[in-house]
């Protein structure tokens, strides 16, 4: 994963409500109305956060009729974990 993509993802994760959304989606796919039940934000604010999370690839959206269902992208979460491990591994090696 290139640095520009990593920066976009980390920026998306730097907001408290987006971190909450990631936590909510860890167990299963949820519709926007279910996500709203956990948060004290408006529907338009949720839409804004979901757009950012989807654009960076952390979250995938499936539309069924008038409902939007969201889930974490397994491939992207695996890539993020690998990139963080690689980043900190290099730092530890440099310190030796």
């Amino acid at each position: 994963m290139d640095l520009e993509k990593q920066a976009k993802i980390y920026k998306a994760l730097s907001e408290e409500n987006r971190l909450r959304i990631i936590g909510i989606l860890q167990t299963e796919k949820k519709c926007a109305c279910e996500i709203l039940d956990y948060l004290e934000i408006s529907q338009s604010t949720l839409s804004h956060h979901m757009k950012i999370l989807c654009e960076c690839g952390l979250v995938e959206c499936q539309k069924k009729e008038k409902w939007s269902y969201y889930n974490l992208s397994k491939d992207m979460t695996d890539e993020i974990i690998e990139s963080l491990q690689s980043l900190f591994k290099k730092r530890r090696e440099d310190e030796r």
Side-chain angles (χ1 to χ4, degrees), residues 2-38:
D2 65 37
L3 289 177
E4 185 177 340
K5 178 78 173 169
Q6 286 181 41
K8 190 173 184 178
I9 291 167
Y10 301 146
K11 185 175 180 181
L13 291 172
S14 69
E15 205 282 332
E16 187 177 334
N17 283 310
R18 289 185 216 131
L19 287 174
R20 285 188 176 112
I21 292 166
I22 296 296
I24 292 165
L25 295 175
Q26 282 188 15
T27 56
E28 63 184 346
K29 174 175 23 177
K30 295 200 183 322
C31 72
C33 59
E34 291 174 302
I35 296 168
L36 277 172
D37 288 342
Y38 291 91

Side-chain angles (χ1 to χ4, degrees), residues 10 81-95:
Y10 301 146
I81 291 167
E82 287 176 25
S83 72
L84 281 170
Q85 287 174 335
S86 174
L87 177 69
F88 289 104
K89 179 181 178 184
K90 288 177 189 173
R91 180 177 175 174
R92 283 192 305 262
E93 289 172 355
D94 291 345
E95 290 175 352

Side-chain angles (χ1 to χ4, degrees), residues 24-53:
I24 292 165
L25 295 175
Q26 282 188 15
T27 56
E28 63 184 346
K29 174 175 23 177
K30 295 200 183 322
C31 72
C33 59
E34 291 174 302
I35 296 168
L36 277 172
D37 288 342
Y38 291 91
L39 305 171
E40 294 181 16
I41 60 175
S42 67
Q43 194 279 325
S44 61
T45 301
L46 176 64
S47 292
H48 170 75
H49 290 311
M50 298 313 294
K51 180 179 183 236
I52 292 168
L53 291 170

